[in-house]
Each structure stands twice: as structure tokens, then as C-alpha cells.
Amino acid sequence: MALTVQQRGSIFLAVTACLLVIGVCAPFSGHDVQRVMQIAIGLCAVLYGLSVAPVERLVDRATALGLVLIIVLGLVSSLLAHQPLWAFTEVALFISCGAIAVAFALFRRRGGERLDRTLILVVTALCLIKSTQYLYAAGLAFSSGEPTLDTDLLLSSFSNKRFYGQFQTFTLPLLALPLLIPTVSRPFKGLVFTLLCVWWLIAISGGTRGTWLGMGIAGVILAVIGPWGRRWVGWQLAALGGGLMLYWLMFTVLADHLGIEVVSAASDRLTTSLSGRGPIWWQAWHMIVERPWLGFGPMHFADIANKIAAHPHQAILQWASEWGVPSALCVAVLAWRGGWATVGELRDGAVSSERVDLLRLCLFAALIGALVQAMVDGVIVMPNSQVWLALVVGWLMALHVGRTPASAALPLAWGAWKTLSVIAVGLLIVIAVRDVPHIAQAQQQYLDTHDNLLQPRFWAQGVIAR
């Protein structure tokens, strides 16, 4: 018996939610598990996309042409790259993220406003699980009798605390949505606010300055947009104050009372240092100067070995050095057009208390925070962050109303996109099947000869230079 479109959507939602929980909350999770999770979500998105067809276009003609240009430039750059297979893999990753965004956009447009509640429920559940894990680990640490407490060890399921911070940059803005909705009961708002305070406690403890910077810039922009943006800022500042109070009580008052020395304190991160980014930024700049038009090839920053990282921790430098300056400019123009269109809708609904308008506000804050953090961190590299970026973009696409009547979808263009998505996800699956059985051995060999340091890119050992 054939499944209905609604049933297919329910299966897509259930499987995607389970994969997100595994990738973010499982104790055994990390960069490689999250990459496999991302490929699996990409496969689910492609299968869902094959089973439905858009009634109207998801993007306008200019955006579609821009995306085509980016992909064509990426393919040409890959052909000329030192390691074409890895370059094509990066292009496939970009296309699969697009497929995930398209799937979420189609899913939300077909499911309607009820799915907005589902999204926030999933976000709240993930934050609740992670907060419980953190507080449990803190309780064990304080009761262990050890003379020192390393706050970094309280963070779980991520290979690096900055990757955890990237996840928080996406979820901190969304977690505030129930606090903005007038019809939500006060007791429930109290529970959500408590959770938001704990979530800020973890953000402070993790010490990811990119998260602090991203949330700060997002707050400034939302404060200018309208009264609901200022209310969002107010709730975030109140929760930040609560998080600071909890941090002081736990890691100053309680730690001093028990005679425990706190290691990796948040105050240690209050610096203006680049944390080693200077040399890799210069490496990316020299790559741009040497090959400005098509770059060295997607993923090929990782083909030039250095002792710091397999990506430059700066989205513009990374894209320009690998894909070329024209491609980077095209990406920047598309991001600006999409962001400005969203700002227009936010201004139109500046005084609206409708749930959909408030959700758009929170999604936009998450997007701004992530894009700002991408200027100093690997948001466009890490698998979990790529999935959440695709989710946020896809949901905003679904909520976009537009100032002109929507055009009918073009069957030929939709068919070409589906074919390209299938090929891209197929390549990612082939790479995963090839590498996953040997990942542990390959990583150990690399660690034995490279100062016990992994440099994540596609996999946790992301250096592709031979």
C-alpha cells in the first residue's frame, strides 16, 4: 500500500529527529558519528524530496541562477584540483545541505503551523537532555573528592567544545520562542526560562567566544528591528544574568567551599587573542592570491598541511581560497539577498504577535548568530552545524511570503535538482562506506605521527594532504 504524502512527512520527521538526538546527545557521539548522521539525514531528505513535488518555486530565478553558478564553479574547480575526489565530495556535501534545506522547506509548507510547535519541542527536548547531562556530570565532579575540576570535561557528545558552542548558537535563539508567545502559560514559561538559564550557563562554561559574539550581534540587530526583537533581547539578557549567577554559585562559591580548583574557567577565555588563527588566515590569503579565480579546489585547504587546522576558521577566506573569489562573492550576494528579504518580512510583522512571525524572528537570530560565528569558527565545516544551518535556512524559506505572487515550479528544473541531489548523496554514501570501517586505524596512525592532534574536516582526521 502506497504511503500518503503526510505519512512520508511523518517518517521523515521521526527519522530526522532520532538522528539529531543521536548526533547531539549520545555519549559515543563525536565528529565522525555526526558526519554519518548528516549523510543519513541527507539521504532521508533526498528520499522525501523524490516523493513530493513543490507546487510553487522555493527560490526566485536570481537565487536559482546563483546556486547553479556556484555549483558549476565548484565542479570546474574540483576538476582542476590536486585531489578531485575529495573536492567533488565537498561539492556533494554542499548539495546535500541544499537537499536538507529543501526537504525542510517542503515539509513545513505542506505541514503548516503545527510543525512549528514540533520544531520547538525538538529543540527544547535536545536542550533539556544536554542540560541534564551537564548538571549530572557537574554533580559527579563536585562529589568525586578530586582536588581539581576541569569544566571542559562536563561537555559531552562533541569532539571539541567549540562545536558544542556552535550548536548552542543555533538553539539559544530558538529556545526563547515560548517566552515570547502571549498564549503560553506562566508556569511553562517559568520552566523554559529556567532551561534557558542553564543553557546560558553551559555557553558561559564552554567559553566559546564565537557563540558570545554571534549572540551579541544578533541581539543588536533584533533590537533595531522592532519591539518583539527587543523583547527577545530582554529575555536573553535575563537568562544570561541567570546563567552568570549559576556559574558563580557553582564554580566560585561551591568550588571554594569544597576546596576544588576550577580548570578552564570562563574568565580564562576573556581575551582578544586569535587562538592560533592568524597563521591559517594567512595561509588562506596566500592561497587566494595564488589562485583567485577557481581556488585550490573544494576542501583543499586541508591538502596543504599545517600544524593548526584543516580549515581556516573563517568562512569567507575558506570559500575564496578553495572555490575561488567569484564563487565566494556569489555566496555572499545570495546570503545578503536572503537575509535582507527576511528583514523586510520582520519589519512588516514588527508588531505582530502571531506565532509564525515570532518564530521567523528567532530563526533569523539563529542565522545571524551562526553567520557571525562563521567569521571566527568552522560553522560551515562541522557536520552538526551544517545540518542545523540547513534546517534554519529551509524553515525560513518555508515561512517566506514574498512581495510578488509565487511562480509555479518548473518540472525540468526540479527534475535536474533531484538528479543532482541523488548523485551527491550517493557519492557521500560511497565515501562513508569506504572510510568508516578503517577510521579508527587511520586516526591512530595519524595521531602517532602528528603530535597526538586531530584536525577535523570531513572526518575527525581531516587532513587530506599526502
Side-chain angles (χ1 to χ4, degrees):
M1 182 178 178
L3 296 174
T4 65
V5 173
Q6 185 175 0
Q7 289 172 328
R8 293 167 189 162
S10 299
I11 294 173
F12 169 68
L13 173 63
V15 175
T16 301
C18 290
L19 290 170
L20 287 174
V21 170
I22 293 172
V24 172
C25 301
F28 56 82
S29 185
H31 185 93
D32 294 332
V33 172
Q34 290 173 354
R35 183 67 74 195
V36 173
M37 172 209 74
Q38 179 189 16
I39 296 172
I41 292 177
L43 176 60
C44 293
V46 169
L47 293 176
Y48 178 70
L50 291 174
S51 67
V52 299
V55 178
E56 57 190 31
R57 296 183 193 177
L58 294 174
V59 296
D60 60 17
R61 184 182 298 274
T63 302
L65 291 175
L67 290 171
V68 170
L69 180 60
I70 292 169
I71 293 172
V72 169
L73 289 173
L75 293 175
V76 175
S77 178
S78 299
L79 284 171
L80 301 175
H82 178 227
Q83 298 192 58
L85 181 58
W86 277 120
F88 283 124
T89 301
E90 184 85 337
V91 176
L93 204 56
F94 172 73
I95 295 171
S96 72
C97 288
I100 294 172
V102 167
F104 277 117
L106 292 174
F107 180 58
R108 167 57 177 83
R109 285 197 175 182
R110 288 181 174 274
E113 190 175 334
R114 65 180 180 84
L115 294 180
D116 296 340
R117 291 187 288 270
T118 303
L119 171 64
I120 299 304
L121 179 62
V122 171
V123 170
T124 303
L126 288 173
C127 295
L128 179 61
I129 294 172
K130 296 305 298 178
S131 298
T132 303
Q133 289 177 334
Y134 181 89
L135 294 176
Y136 178 72
L140 291 179
F142 279 116
S143 61
S144 65
E146 295 292 332
T148 61
L149 190 158
D150 188 346
T151 58
D152 288 353
L153 299 180
L154 305 180
L155 308 175
S156 62
S157 307
F158 287 84
S159 304
N160 188 297
K161 64 179 182 180
R162 286 194 298 272
F163 310 160
Y164 198 126
Q166 293 170 19
F167 171 62
Q168 290 196 284
T169 303
F170 285 106
T171 50
L172 277 167
L174 296 174
L175 195 56
L177 177 62
L179 302 175
L180 299 176
I181 300 174
T183 56
V184 173
S185 65
R186 285 191 176 183
F188 185 72
K189 282 187 177 182
L191 293 174
V192 173
F193 179 72
T194 302
L195 178 59
L196 187 59
C197 290
V198 176
W199 205 226
W200 265 111
L201 160 68
I202 299 173
I204 296 165
S205 170
T208 304
R209 289 176 293 171
T211 296
W212 306 345
L213 177 64
M215 289 296 293
I217 299 298
V220 171
I221 293 175
L222 260 64
V224 174
I225 286 178
W228 284 105
R230 289 187 283 275
R231 291 190 186 185
W232 180 91
V233 173
W235 280 114
Q236 293 289 355
L237 288 175
L240 171 60
L244 285 169
M245 178 64 71
L246 289 173
Y247 183 89
W248 177 72
L249 290 173
M250 290 177 61
F251 299 110
T252 300
V253 176
L254 182 58
D256 289 347
H257 177 72
L258 297 176
I260 297 175
E261 179 185 0
V262 176
V263 180
S264 301
S267 58
D268 299 338
R269 300 287 292 166
L270 294 176
T271 67
T272 57
S273 70
L274 294 177
S275 300
R277 286 168 173 78
I280 54 178
W281 286 0
W282 275 114
Q283 176 178 319
W285 175 250
H286 289 308
M287 291 170 66
I288 294 170
V289 172
E290 185 174 346
R291 299 185 187 178
W293 296 108
L294 290 170
F296 276 67
M299 207 188 290
H300 272 58
F301 187 94
D303 192 45
I304 303 174
N306 63 71
K307 295 183 179 181
I308 301 174
H311 60 97
H313 291 68
Q314 214 284 344
I316 298 174
L317 289 176
Q318 177 181 322
W319 205 281
S321 64
E322 296 185 342
W323 296 61
V325 173
S327 179
L329 288 174
C330 193
V331 171
V333 169
L334 291 184
W336 175 262
R337 290 183 76 248
W340 190 249
T342 304
V343 168
E345 292 199 335
L346 289 173
R347 285 177 173 174
D348 291 342
V351 296
S352 171
S353 61
E354 293 295 326
R355 187 188 301 264
V356 66
D357 294 313
L358 298 176
L359 175 60
R360 185 184 290 110
L361 184 81
C362 295
L363 286 168
F364 184 67
L367 181 61
I368 292 298
L371 293 179
V372 170
Q373 188 170 2
M375 298 301 103
V376 294
D377 213 343
V379 174
I380 66 169
V381 172
M382 299 306 126
N384 186 68
S385 301
Q386 289 176 336
V387 170
W388 280 93
L389 185 59
L391 186 154
V392 169
V393 170
W395 220 276
L396 282 171
M397 287 168 57
L399 299 182
H400 184 69
V401 177
R403 299 178 184 275
T404 59
S407 303
L410 299 176
L412 183 62
W414 178 244
W417 170 253
K418 290 195 294 185
T419 302
L420 194 62
S421 300
V422 169
I423 295 172
V425 173
L427 175 59
L428 295 177
I429 293 173
V430 169
I431 296 297
V433 171
R434 182 196 70 178
D435 292 351
V436 167
H438 313 290
I439 277 184
Q441 179 183 357
Q443 286 185 359
Q444 191 57 52
Q445 290 176 350
Y446 188 85
L447 289 170
D448 291 341
T449 56
H450 291 81
D451 301 325
N452 203 37
L453 174 68
L454 290 176
Q455 300 178 26
R457 186 65 194 256
F458 188 84
W459 300 119
Q461 192 304 91
V463 178
I464 61 175
R466 299 193 182 98

